[in-house]
Amino acid sequence: MTQMGAPGSGLSRREFVAATGTTGIVATAGCASAPINGGSDEPAATDGRPAQQDLPTTSPPQVVNADEQGNQVTLRSVPSRHDVHPGESMGGPVELPQVWAWQADDREPSVPGPIIRTTEGEDIEVTLDNTDGMRPHTVHFHAVEKTWENDGVPTTTGITVPAGESHTYDIPANVPGTHVYHCHYQTHRHIDMGMYGIFRVDPEGYEPADKEYFMTLKDWDSRLNRQFAGEDVTYNVRNRRPDVFTINGKAAPHTLHPEQGSPVLVEQGDTVRIHFANNGYMDHPMHLHNHRFQVVAKDGGTIPEAARHDRDITSIPPASRHTIEFEADADPGIYLIHCHKVKHVMNGQTYPGGMLTGIVYEEAMDTEIFAQLMEYAGYEG
């Protein structure tokens, strides 16, 4: 069953199509993307890398339930092209011409990487298959308590996975909560090339909300991606200048695309849980319009009820994770979720764009304004 909305437990395609009624949703033209202008501290190498036209295009991140596949996951790094916002509306097109996408098992490569989900006590084996790779990598999992050699840091463990080899990490599911994982080899480049994702450990007896979603925040300096795509640009990590801002790898309005983006699709009365993870290098104060929420967990730890309070914004620092909960009890409509640093909600010089998505009530899907937003997002219903 195809799920609509951010990765998690949204509406099915049938429910979504039924809710959109007969308003008529038309796709914007899928024009070829042009990269954002932007910079390299070393020349772009072409040693054996596939030509840009041969690169696969990334897919949206999927939830990988490790419990359902024998507690084993295989990850690969796949050079890919990443369409941040492929349409021409609202400052588009926006493209990262080369990323290093994570691929789980036989799924499509994605940026961010797959959401690897397991249950407390169900330890997993994660194999980094670099046999077809072109450079060394590792995998580092935050928060969980593991043995030294499974930490994924080459400098302190002595373990790197070179091109042409593979390595299996034993990752215990002993710290419930929402965590992150990423490559820890030349971290300053490899995360910025897309090698990051969410690791979710459900506690024993976990009770999901009516709607549950995962959202990964990321700031990008597209000069690095353009450098590895062979463009003549100058990039220096000590002079990093982010110019692309994404939720689950997409910028608004493509974030509102119900299949490729991350809208929060709700029905009146739903309890909604969103797991935010910041895999970038900047703080992002995330604001919900017209909904008060509580932060119920942070960085793999549950916040006691006595310490919670209603709010409409939470600032998420690099590598941090905030889980929020709210009731979908507002006047049914369409409400924004966005970073409140206004320059992060732009595509180039165009506002709005960037790190912005929305809460969309089922009752509002059969409206002209929703159809117009879907046109901006590039969705064809």
Side-chain angles (χ1 to χ4, degrees):
M1 180 185 299
T2 300
Q3 294 294 316
M4 310 293 276
S9 56
L11 300 176
S12 70
R13 171 181 276 277
R14 177 173 295 182
E15 291 169 325
F16 179 82
V17 171
T20 57
T22 58
T23 301
I25 298 172
V26 182
T28 54
C31 299
S33 298
I36 288 179
N37 291 332
S40 110
D41 54 2
E42 60 187 41
T46 57
D47 48 348
R49 293 181 186 156
Q52 286 303 114
Q53 62 267 27
D54 296 333
L55 294 180
T57 299
T58 58
S59 294
Q62 297 181 3
V63 177
V64 175
N65 287 301
D67 298 359
E68 298 175 358
Q69 53 186 57
N71 296 327
Q72 295 180 335
V73 179
T74 297
L75 291 175
R76 300 175 186 85
S77 172
V78 180
S80 306
R81 192 185 80 246
H82 186 57
D83 292 330
V84 177
H85 169 40
E88 293 185 340
S89 61
M90 297 168 65
V94 181
E95 180 193 65
L96 299 175
Q98 187 172 146
V99 293
W100 302 338
W102 282 120
Q103 178 187 34
D105 305 309
D106 58 355
R107 297 170 178 83
E108 298 295 321
S110 67
V111 169
I115 296 120
I116 300 175
R117 190 167 198 170
T118 189
T119 305
E120 183 180 7
E122 296 291 334
D123 301 348
I124 63 174
E125 292 183 351
V126 178
T127 298
L128 174 51
D129 180 0
N130 205 20
T131 53
D132 294 327
M134 294 178 288
R135 54 186 61 83
H137 294 301
T138 68
V139 189
H140 168 62
F141 285 80
H142 281 221
V144 293
E145 298 173 359
K146 49 198 174 295
T147 60
W148 175 24
E149 64 269 20
N150 287 293
D151 195 37
V153 182
T155 310
T156 54
T157 66
I159 298 173
T160 301
V161 187
E165 298 186 14
S166 64
H167 179 78
T168 297
Y169 298 90
D170 294 320
I171 305 299
N174 54 15
V175 179
T178 301
H179 315 304
V180 296
Y181 68 91
H182 59 83
C183 179
H184 218 297
Y185 180 87
Q186 293 290 302
T187 316
H188 61 295
R189 282 197 181 89
H190 290 219
I191 291 180
D192 261 357
M193 288 299 293
M195 298 188 70
Y196 62 90
I198 288 178
F199 178 45
R200 169 69 189 177
V201 179
D202 290 332
E204 293 183 21
Y206 181 65
E207 296 182 6
D210 297 323
K211 296 291 191 303
E212 184 172 31
Y213 295 107
F214 293 91
M215 291 193 180
T216 300
L217 314 175
K218 181 74 170 72
D219 50 273
W220 307 78
D221 185 331
S222 67
R223 295 175 301 167
L224 178 63
N225 308 91
R226 294 168 57 216
Q227 171 197 342
F228 276 96
E231 295 187 36
D232 184 15
V233 291
T234 300
Y235 173 79
N236 188 324
V237 68
R238 300 297 293 270
N239 187 28
R240 189 174 179 272
R241 299 195 301 270
D243 59 343
V244 176
F245 301 91
T246 61
I247 297 176
N248 283 346
K250 304 298 182 182
H254 206 59
T255 49
L256 293 167
H257 193 292
E259 293 174 302
Q260 299 177 22
S262 301
V264 173
L265 306 178
V266 302
E267 300 172 78
Q268 183 77 19
D270 278 344
T271 297
V272 184
R273 187 175 299 152
I274 303 176
H275 305 282
F276 284 106
N278 184 353
N279 273 284
Y281 302 146
M282 308 176 75
D283 285 15
H284 297 295
M286 298 303 293
H287 170 50
L288 273 62
H289 282 213
N290 217 45
H291 293 79
R292 301 280 283 174
F293 61 83
Q294 292 188 350
V295 179
V296 299
K298 290 176 67 175
D299 307 330
T302 300
I303 297 177
E305 290 192 18
R308 303 175 189 175
H309 65 276
D310 291 344
R311 56 174 77 187
D312 62 24
I313 194 163
T314 184
S315 191
I316 308 173
S320 191
R321 294 85 65 201
H322 291 192
T323 295
I324 70 169
E325 286 187 8
F326 65 92
E327 299 298 317
D329 57 4
D331 179 39
I334 303 167
Y335 301 98
L336 297 184
I337 300 174
H338 64 91
C339 179
H340 223 286
K341 294 181 178 178
V342 178
K343 65 181 180 180
H344 296 182
V345 191
M346 300 178 71
N347 294 329
Q349 298 300 310
T350 299
Y351 174 91
M355 195 176 285
L356 174 152
T357 187
I359 302 168
V360 181
Y361 281 73
E362 182 177 345
E363 294 90 333
M365 294 178 190
D366 187 15
T367 62
E368 291 292 342
I369 186 64
F370 181 71
Q372 184 179 56
L373 288 172
M374 291 299 94
E375 184 175 350
Y376 292 155
Y379 177 69
E380 183 175 5

